[in-house]
Amino acid sequence: MFYEWLYPLHNVHGLSFLNLFKYITVRSALAAVLALLISFLLGPPMIGWLRRVKLGQKVREEGPQSHYVKAGTPTMGGLLMLCAIGVPVLLCGNFHNRQVWLALLTTLWLGGLGFLDDWLRVVKKLPKGLLGRYKLLGQFSIGAIVAACVLVWPEPNASPTLTHVPFLKSYYFDLGLLFVPFVMLVITGASNAVNLTDGLDGLAMGPVIVAAMAFGLIAYVTGNARLSEYLFVLKVKGVGELTVVAGALVGASIGFLWFNSHPAEVFMGDVGSLALGGALGTLAVLAKVELLLPFIGGLFVVEAVSVILQVASFRTTGRRIFRMAPLHHHFELAGWPESKIVIRFWILSLLMALMAVTTLKLR
C-alpha cells in the first residue's frame, strides 16, 4: 500500500521524502516495526479474550510431568501472529509481486489449517485434533499450488526448476519433473518441523527469528543484480520483495516472544507453528535455496529427525533412542531447566544459520 499509493507522490513538492518507500530495505524495516507494534497492541486483549472463552492448552498425558502446570494456558495465539504478519506485508509489500502473494497465501493457508486442528482439539475436545492424513493433504495441496504458480508464471530469464547447490560456485541443480513433489515436500516438512519444535516456552521463536533474518538477507541478495553477480547467486527478478515478508516474520516473532517467553502467557498452537514453518519453506523455494533450508533451519531438522528415529527404533526394536522425543523433551527428562534448553537451542540455531549464510561467499 505504501509502495503503491505513497511512493508515486514523491514528485509532489514537499513530499520528496516519500521516495524512501521505493527501497526494499526501508519497507522491510518498517514491516518489522509494524509487526512488532501490532503484536504489542493486540497481544494483551487477545490473551484476555482467549482466557475468557477458555481456549486453554491441553497437556498430553504422555508428555513430561513438569508440563502439567501449563494446563489451561491460553493457546491459539498464532492468530495474533497471522495479524502481525499479514497487515505489515499488505502495507509495505509490492502488490504487483507474485512471490509476496504466494508467501502470504501459504502463511494464511497453513495458519487456517492449524486453526482447524487447534479448534477440533481445544473446543471440540477431540484428542487428536485434525487427523494426520487430512493435515498432510492440506499441506501438500498448498505446496502443489506454490509449485504450479512458479511453473506457470516463471520470472523472466530464470528457469523455475533450478535450485542453488550449497558450497558450489555457479552450480545449480535442475529438478525437472521432480520440482512439484520437491516443493510439496519442502513446505510440508518445514511446516511440521517447526510444529514439532514448538514444545517449550519460546523455543521455536528464536530459530524462526534467525531463519527469517537469514532468508531475508538471501532474498535481498538474490533479487539484487549486482550482489547476486558478485556472489555468483542465481538472480531471480522480484524475489527481493520477499525481504518485506521476512521482516514481518521477524517483527511478529519477536512481538510474540514477549508473551511466549518463560513462563508463557500464551502458546501459539498449530495455527502459529504450521504457518511459520510453511512461510520459511516458501521463502526457501521462491529464493531458489531449498537445499540451504536444512542448514538455516538446522534445529528444526534435528527436532524432526529425533522423532523419526525414535518412532523407527521403537517400532523395529522395541527400544527408545531418547528418553522422549522431540529432542528437547529428552533434555528435560535429563534434568536440564527449561530456560537452559531454550537458550542453548537458540545458540545452536544461530550457529547453523550463520554457517549457511557464509556458504554464499565461501565457495
Side-chain angles (χ1 to χ4, degrees), residues 3 20 56 64 107 113 123 140 149 166 209 245 265 308 320 339 342 353:
Y3 180 78
L20 287 172
T107 304
L113 187 68
V123 178
F140 282 136
C149 289
I209 293 168
V245 179
E265 300 175 54
I308 295 172
R320 293 181 173 85
S339 57
V342 170

Side-chain angles (χ1 to χ4, degrees), residues 59-68 200 324 329 332-333:
V59 177
R60 296 181 304 163
E61 293 182 0
E62 65 272 19
Q65 293 184 357
S66 59
H67 285 207
Y68 290 164
L200 299 178
M324 185 178 291
H329 290 322
E332 270 193 294
L333 296 182

Side-chain angles (χ1 to χ4, degrees), residues 11 40 68 75 94 119 125 130 217 224 230 319 331:
N11 290 320
F40 285 163
Y68 290 164
T75 188
N94 183 344
W119 181 266
K125 312 299 182 183
L130 183 64
L217 175 62
N224 186 286
Y230 172 70
R319 297 180 180 178
F331 290 107

Side-chain angles (χ1 to χ4, degrees), residues 218-225 228 234-240:
I218 292 172
Y220 183 76
V221 170
T222 304
N224 186 286
S228 60
L234 180 66
K235 183 184 183 301
V236 182
K237 184 179 179 181
V239 79

Side-chain angles (χ1 to χ4, degrees), residues 77-79 81-82 111 114-115 118 194 268-277:
L79 292 171
M81 300 198 70
L82 293 181
F115 176 82
D118 289 334
V194 174
M268 62 178 168
D270 283 9
V271 62
S273 58
L274 293 183
L276 291 177

Side-chain angles (χ1 to χ4, degrees), residues 299-311:
L299 182 64
F300 302 131
V301 174
V302 169
E303 292 272 51
V305 169
S306 71
V307 174
I308 295 172
L309 292 176
Q310 183 85 326
V311 172

Side-chain angles (χ1 to χ4, degrees), residues 31-312:
V33 172
L34 286 174
L36 187 63
L37 291 176
I38 290 172
S39 298
F40 285 163
L41 290 175
L42 296 185
M46 180 168 286
I47 293 172
W49 175 76
L50 291 172
R51 284 201 183 102
R52 287 194 298 273
V53 297
K54 298 182 179 180
L55 293 179
Q57 178 70 26
K58 307 297 182 182
V59 177
R60 296 181 304 163
E61 293 182 0
E62 65 272 19
Q65 293 184 357
S66 59
H67 285 207
Y68 290 164
V69 298
K70 300 182 180 184
T73 301
T75 188
M76 299 175 69
L79 292 171
L80 171 63
M81 300 198 70
L82 293 181
C83 293
I85 293 170
V87 173
V89 169
L90 292 175
L91 289 176
C92 303
N94 183 344
F95 288 172
H96 300 290
N97 187 282
R98 283 190 292 268
Q99 288 101 326
V100 171
W101 286 113
L102 280 177
L104 188 58
L105 171 65
T106 305
T107 304
L108 296 178
W109 179 297
L110 292 174
L113 187 68
F115 176 82
L116 179 59
D117 186 31
D118 289 334
W119 181 266
L120 292 174
R121 185 184 299 110
V122 177
V123 178
K124 298 300 182 180
K125 312 299 182 183
L126 299 178
K128 294 183 178 180
L130 183 64
L131 294 179
R133 57 179 176 271
Y134 298 123
K135 188 182 295 186
L136 286 174
L137 177 62
Q139 292 170 317
F140 282 136
S141 296
I142 188 60
I145 290 172
V146 171
C149 289
V150 172
L151 290 174
V152 174
W153 295 293
E155 295 302 322
N157 302 319
S159 175
T161 58
L162 289 181
T163 186
H164 171 260
V165 178
F167 307 107
L168 297 179
K169 182 183 295 186
S170 299
Y171 186 81
Y172 312 101
F173 182 72
D174 193 342
L175 293 162
L177 296 176
L178 295 176
F179 179 73
V180 173
F182 181 70
V183 171
M184 294 166 63
L185 181 62
V186 168
I187 293 178
T188 301
S191 180
N192 287 325
V194 174
N195 181 245
L196 290 172
T197 305
D198 183 35
L200 299 178
D201 296 350
L203 177 59
M205 289 293 93
V208 166
I209 293 168
V210 170
M213 293 176 68
F215 281 123
L217 175 62
I218 292 172
Y220 183 76
V221 170
T222 304
N224 186 286
R226 293 183 179 180
L227 289 176
S228 60
E229 182 179 358
Y230 172 70
L231 294 173
F232 297 96
V233 174
L234 180 66
K235 183 184 183 301
V236 182
K237 184 179 179 181
V239 79
E241 284 290 335
L242 291 178
T243 312
V244 176
V245 179
L249 280 171
V250 171
S253 299
I254 294 174
F256 188 77
L257 182 60
W258 181 271
F259 305 104
N260 186 236
S261 57
H262 185 71
E265 300 175 54
V266 64
F267 300 135
M268 62 178 168
D270 283 9
V271 62
S273 58
L274 293 183
L276 291 177
L280 294 177
T282 306
L283 290 178
V285 168
L286 297 178
K288 301 298 180 183
V289 289
E290 298 96 330
L291 298 182
L292 271 181
L293 181 59
F295 298 94
I296 292 176
L299 182 64
F300 302 131
V301 174
V302 169
E303 292 272 51
V305 169
S306 71
V307 174
I308 295 172
L309 292 176
Q310 183 85 326
V311 172

